[in-house]
Amino acid sequence: KAGVTQTPRYLIKTRGQQVTLSCSPISGHRSVSWYQQTPGQGLQFLFEYFSETQRNKGNFPGRFSGRQFSNSRSEMNVSTLELGDSALYLCASSHPGQRSTEAFFGQGTRLTVV
Amino acid sequence: SQKIEQNSEALNIQEGKTATLTCNYTNYSPAYLQWYRQDPGRGPVFLLLIRENEKEKRKERLKVTFDTTLKQSLFHITASQPADSATYLCALRYEGGYSTLTFGKGTMLLVSP
């Protein structure tokens, strides 16, 4: 079966702009989580969606938002971009039926803010 | 607060040796712990999961131990190969966080031929 797909793979934006990243989970997976990865901070949790509802949120400012559609596809949006938002943004899907389930990650979107 | 620590120093070993990576955690009572491998510029890939009632888990050349008293997991790669060079991450499910995983910062492993 197809893996987690993230688009675009690379993005260059200017400070102050906004950006939308997309994630298509594995078919049948209804849980989608987003992470930001930087060299200094590692993988940091942004938010998790399940059945179109955000059920967990990390410690990020309100400029970071997301949503999930009825087909489980998810988008995250970052408004008023700052240089510090440059990072690899990773999306992971998992099967909600098992509490100890593994996460399946996409290739990520590399965002560069200039 | 809940914290996961992995050795930030890269681990350099010779091909054929056993690599041992450490994951320590505090303020968690995890039901299970996961290990992932990440190559540069790519998303992490799941390797192994070990539950709190399991002391050890093996998969091919990989072995994971889980000591809930010490709050520590050890990840071993036996007969290491240059292709094993990557960053290895441990992860715990955030308490009350449904499917959310909290990751350590990872340890980079470099295997020289």
Side-chain angles (χ1 to χ4, degrees):
Chain A
K1 54 184 176 182
V4 177
T5 304
Q6 290 188 246
T7 56
R9 288 292 312 278
Y10 302 93
L11 209 46
I12 300 175
K13 289 286 189 179
T14 305
R15 266 184 307 175
Q17 287 187 312
Q18 75 164 17
V19 67
T20 299
L21 311 181
S22 179
C23 172
S24 293
I26 290 172
S27 178
H29 286 189
R30 289 189 290 158
S31 172
V32 174
S33 298
W34 288 89
Y35 295 84
Q36 180 196 67
Q37 188 173 35
T38 56
Q41 298 299 320
L43 267 163
Q44 291 191 288
F45 170 71
L46 282 157
F47 25 68
E48 178 193 355
Y49 286 88
F50 176 75
S51 292
E52 302 179 65
T53 301
Q54 185 185 90
R55 62 180 185 181
N56 203 7
K57 188 176 189 301
N59 189 25
F60 277 81
R63 299 185 298 106
F64 292 81
S65 63
R67 59 178 175 168
Q68 187 179 34
F69 302 94
S70 58
N71 61 358
S72 294
R73 190 177 71 85
S74 178
E75 288 181 347
M76 67 163 280
N77 184 279
V78 188
S79 62
T80 320
L81 284 165
E82 300 176 0
L83 295 179
D85 297 333
S86 296
L88 180 66
Y89 289 87
L90 291 159
C91 159
S93 76
S94 57
H95 194 295
Q98 305 160 24
R99 286 170 58 83
S100 61
T101 189
E102 65 190 86
F104 293 85
F105 283 84
Q107 299 278 47
T109 294
R110 171 72 64 186
L111 172 64
T112 302
V113 182
V114 297
Chain B
S1 62
Q2 297 166 324
K3 204 172 177 183
I4 303 172
E5 290 184 342
Q6 294 184 256
N7 193 340
S8 59
E9 298 281 330
L11 179 62
N12 287 275
I13 64 168
Q14 286 281 326
E15 182 176 9
K17 301 292 186 185
T18 295
T20 299
L21 307 174
T22 305
C23 174
N24 295 298
Y25 59 91
T26 56
N27 298 329
Y28 268 103
S29 295
Y32 58 87
L33 183 146
Q34 302 183 15
W35 282 89
Y36 288 77
R37 167 184 172 140
Q38 186 175 25
D39 292 285
R42 303 177 81 88
V45 175
F46 172 79
L47 295 174
L48 277 171
L49 178 152
I50 185 165
R51 303 178 195 284
E52 62 178 340
N53 60 351
E54 297 174 318
K55 295 295 184 188
E56 182 180 296
K57 196 84 168 275
R58 291 176 186 261
K59 179 183 175 183
E60 298 173 352
R61 294 184 298 110
L62 308 179
K63 184 179 86 170
V64 172
T65 63
F66 193 14
D67 189 325
T68 55
T69 302
L70 290 178
K71 294 188 182 295
Q72 181 181 80
S73 175
L74 298 178
F75 177 81
H76 306 272
I77 305 176
T78 58
S80 59
Q81 304 165 2
D84 295 326
S85 298
T87 295
Y88 292 86
L89 304 159
C90 72
L92 294 169
R93 188 180 66 85
Y94 178 82
E95 286 302 319
Y98 303 98
S99 300
T100 302
L101 291 170
T102 302
F103 285 84
K105 292 187 179 179
T107 299
M108 182 183 294
L109 172 66
L110 299 169
V111 182
S112 322

